[in-house]
Amino acid sequence: MSGKPTGQAGAGQQDANQYDNTVHQESPANAGHSQEPPLAPGAVLDHGRYRLLAKVGSDNRCNAQLWRAKDGVLGRDVALTIIVGDRADADQAANARRTLERAMHASTFNHVGVARVLDVVHNSPGDPDGVLGIVIAEWTHGSDLTELISDGPLAPGGAARLLQPLAAAVEAAHHAGLVLGIDHPQRVRVTASGEIRMAFPGPMPHAGSGEDVRGLGAVLYLLLTGRWALPGAPEGVSSAPADSEGNVVPPRTLRPAVPLELSTVSTRALGSPESHGTTGGVRTGAAVLRVLEQYAQQESADTVMHSTPAGTGESHSNEVWNREDPKPDPAKRRKLVLSVSVLAVATVVVLGWLAANLIGLFAGSSSSGPPVVLNPDENGSTTSERSDQGSQQQQPKPVAVSDSSVFVTEKDRDHKDEIGNVHDGDSGTHWQTDNYNDQLGNGFKNGIGVMLTLENPSKLSEVDIRSPSSGTEVEIRSASSASPSLSDADVIGSGELEEGTTGISVETDESTSHVLVWITGLASGDRYSSQIDEIEVMGTSGQS
């Protein structure tokens, strides 16, 4: 990624450049040696493209400043992880380079629990001395994680629900061989829809997957107790207390209302010889996610609203998260159990009565003679049996794909070596179009598609497309061969993809052996491109 602007930064750029010239002026004694470059709101970086708006935090472990900024080229807010240090220091320069390389590798990773890396910029000429590089990511609207717990810890059920996307992102990233670097609370934000997200990518130079798992444990610990359980707690956040052996005390010790399962998974994810001793056990994001999902389901009936802080007497029912679980009334609980039991018995009696009447209706009494067989065929099957068999045969099922290719009407075939990923059954692999400066149809390429060859001719009913590229517009076409002219491939369905799996219904009276997923509009971002993880064709074989 280049990080170089593709156009003018827009109105106000001249004032920003004047400000930038001011902040670049350092005294000769400090030039080239400052670990904290003179960055302030209004300064611009990377040839004037990114104007700093507000500093969100600092990760002093790796000399990183976290900023919200405005992209003057694309006119949108972005998150900047600015690596600072002494350019003359070989170790600092090497560590910065390693962090930037790891962030660049993560730019292909798409997950709802992680802000997408848009660009990576190495020390750009004209930036203040001490800026070693920048990781640019999409801005996460919402609130800082430390702001979330400023009024106290969350209800356990709410904490489990909020943390699920981040735990799922950790597991997916580790399967892809990536490390996210979530072990700092100011790198993590809560979205406007109430989900915790890695907002400032850029892992430590030598961090491994274990740091991500410990980060999950620390974030859960913070939500449950309001304390940070790893080194480097930011200003305003208390550190978690430790026992006589140096191990972090379990959340239940500080807050007895925390369920044992959540307390245990938090401390076991934290435990390691490199941090606070070893309580052992949890080494993967999947292990944390299983506990979160289990408890979030148990608490799904909760409103997840903030409760009144102890001793204030004030109501906060209009806020988003609840800090204490309601305690059930034992008398009401007994009445509820009794009512449910009576209802269950009544339901069983009614179902038994209905079953007896239905059996009597269709089978008749035992004294009425042998059962009557209606219209048996030569194999002894009745009309109703043949009807049931026929209806089962008509149910749409996944149709096996034997081959695939990239279909274009002009110019090159985008990433043709990766096209088999769309039907390999693995959602972790994908095929992606090239990145374009203009949308399809603007004079350079009318469209691009995926041609699937089916193992058997089938009558199609639906095509399911899994993709992270929301806004992609597609047509489903039926073709007579794997390389037809576009005009000979009939349109049998169309739709716009959403993030995740999108089902597109198709209408056709004839079987086909070739299906074309024709992309007429690419997803828009920094540039125009679309990604497809999996395509599944639904239909019935042998129909004409």
Side-chain angles (χ1 to χ4, degrees):
M1 298 185 178
S2 67
K4 300 299 181 287
T6 57
Q8 295 299 320
Q13 189 64 60
Q14 182 177 359
D15 294 338
N17 287 334
Q18 292 173 353
Y19 187 96
D20 192 41
N21 291 334
T22 301
V23 299
H24 286 175
Q25 295 173 1
E26 293 186 287
S27 64
N30 295 330
H33 297 284
S34 173
Q35 296 239 346
E36 289 291 332
L39 300 177
V44 290
L45 303 176
D46 189 28
H47 300 280
R49 176 167 185 172
Y50 301 108
R51 175 194 283 264
L52 301 183
L53 299 178
K55 187 176 181 180
V56 176
S58 296
D59 188 349
N60 295 326
R61 304 168 308 157
C62 58
N63 294 331
Q65 295 188 17
L66 313 177
W67 283 82
R68 182 177 184 176
K70 174 72 74 174
D71 184 338
V73 173
L74 299 178
R76 64 180 180 182
D77 287 0
V78 291
L80 302 186
T81 302
I82 305 175
I83 310 299
V84 300
D86 187 350
R87 294 181 182 178
D89 188 311
D91 289 339
Q92 291 186 21
N95 288 337
R97 186 163 54 252
R98 174 63 174 155
T99 293
L100 296 173
E101 288 173 352
R102 302 184 84 178
M104 183 177 295
H105 291 156
S107 64
T108 59
F109 181 69
N110 289 308
H111 195 282
V112 68
V114 180
R116 186 163 57 97
V117 175
L118 304 175
D119 207 347
V120 174
V121 178
H122 293 266
N123 47 359
S124 177
D127 285 349
D129 289 337
V131 173
L132 303 184
I134 311 171
V135 179
I136 302 99
E138 57 187 355
W139 175 249
T140 300
H141 293 278
S143 63
D144 188 286
L145 195 60
T146 58
E147 296 172 357
L148 176 63
I149 51 92
S150 60
D151 291 332
L154 305 187
R161 181 183 63 80
L162 287 171
L163 192 55
Q164 285 184 84
L166 188 60
V170 167
E171 180 63 13
H174 291 178
H175 276 296
L178 301 172
V179 175
L180 299 182
I182 65 171
D183 52 342
H184 190 278
Q186 290 180 321
R187 288 180 177 266
V188 180
R189 292 178 63 82
V190 183
T191 68
S193 59
E195 293 176 333
I196 292 179
R197 188 185 199 199
M198 177 63 178
F200 289 90
M204 298 274 285
H206 306 292
S209 59
E211 277 71 24
D212 279 343
V213 177
R214 281 190 284 277
L216 286 177
V219 172
L220 180 57
Y221 197 105
L222 180 68
L223 298 179
L224 296 174
T225 68
R227 310 284 189 95
W228 184 246
L230 291 176
E235 184 179 354
V237 178
S238 300
S239 297
D243 60 20
S244 59
E245 297 179 356
N247 296 317
V248 172
V249 300
R252 280 175 65 87
T253 302
L254 302 176
R255 188 178 171 208
V258 174
L260 177 61
E261 296 86 351
L262 290 179
S263 180
T264 300
V265 76
S266 176
T267 52
R268 288 187 176 178
L270 285 167
S272 73
E274 294 81 14
S275 57
H276 302 281
T278 176
T279 53
V282 176
R283 298 182 178 87
T284 66
V288 178
L289 183 60
R290 281 194 295 270
V291 176
L292 297 178
E293 289 176 338
Q294 178 183 1
Y295 197 77
Q297 289 173 359
Q298 293 174 359
E299 297 293 319
S300 60
D302 287 354
T303 58
V304 197
M305 301 292 288
H306 265 310
S307 69
T308 304
T312 63
E314 299 178 2
S315 173
H316 292 272
S317 60
N318 61 329
E319 297 185 14
V320 181
W321 293 282
N322 182 14
R323 294 197 297 274
E324 294 294 343
D325 293 330
K327 295 180 173 56
D329 186 335
K332 291 182 179 180
R333 193 183 190 91
R334 287 194 296 271
K335 291 180 181 179
L336 178 61
V337 171
L338 179 60
S339 300
V340 171
S341 300
V342 171
L343 179 61
V345 172
T347 301
V348 171
V349 172
V350 172
L351 290 176
W353 180 82
L354 289 174
N357 279 273
L358 288 173
I359 292 173
L361 177 64
F362 288 103
S365 65
S366 59
S367 60
S368 62
V372 178
V373 179
L374 301 177
N375 299 329
D377 60 12
E378 62 272 14
N379 296 320
S381 299
T382 67
T383 303
S384 60
E385 289 173 344
R386 293 195 300 272
S387 176
D388 290 342
Q389 294 169 358
S391 63
Q392 292 176 0
Q393 293 173 356
Q394 297 295 329
Q395 292 297 321
K397 298 179 180 179
V399 180
V401 175
S402 60
D403 195 15
S404 59
S405 61
V406 178
F407 183 89
V408 293
T409 56
E410 66 280 300
K411 298 190 178 181
D412 299 329
R413 300 174 183 265
D414 301 26
H415 299 282
K416 60 182 179 180
D417 294 336
E418 301 173 1
I419 193 62
N421 292 336
V422 302
H423 61 92
D424 62 356
D426 183 0
S427 59
T429 62
H430 64 268
W431 167 79
Q432 188 171 7
T433 69
D434 290 338
N435 293 314
Y436 296 103
N437 292 323
D438 294 310
Q439 182 61 272
L440 294 175
N442 287 347
F444 73 101
K445 184 175 285 188
N446 292 325
I448 184 171
V450 178
M451 178 64 76
L452 302 176
T453 299
L454 309 181
E455 284 191 357
N456 298 301
S458 302
K459 182 179 178 181
L460 308 185
S461 59
E462 183 175 294
V463 175
D464 296 332
I465 303 175
R466 182 179 179 85
S467 169
S469 305
S470 60
T472 301
E473 298 176 357
V474 300
E475 294 176 346
I476 308 300
R477 293 174 174 252
S478 173
S480 57
S481 69
S483 55
S485 63
L486 185 62
S487 60
D488 290 337
D490 298 329
V491 178
I492 58 177
S494 63
E496 182 176 309
L497 302 188
E498 299 178 354
E499 183 174 353
T501 300
T502 303
I504 300 177
S505 299
V506 299
E507 296 183 3
T508 178
D509 295 327
E510 298 181 354
S511 298
T512 184
S513 296
H514 303 280
V515 181
L516 173 60
V517 178
W518 181 243
I519 301 175
T520 58
L522 297 170
S524 60
D526 289 339
R527 302 174 74 185
Y528 295 95
S529 68
S530 293
Q531 174 180 314
I532 294 179
D533 298 335
E534 286 291 315
I535 301 176
E536 186 174 54
V537 179
M538 304 294 291
T540 52
S541 299
Q543 301 297 320
S544 58

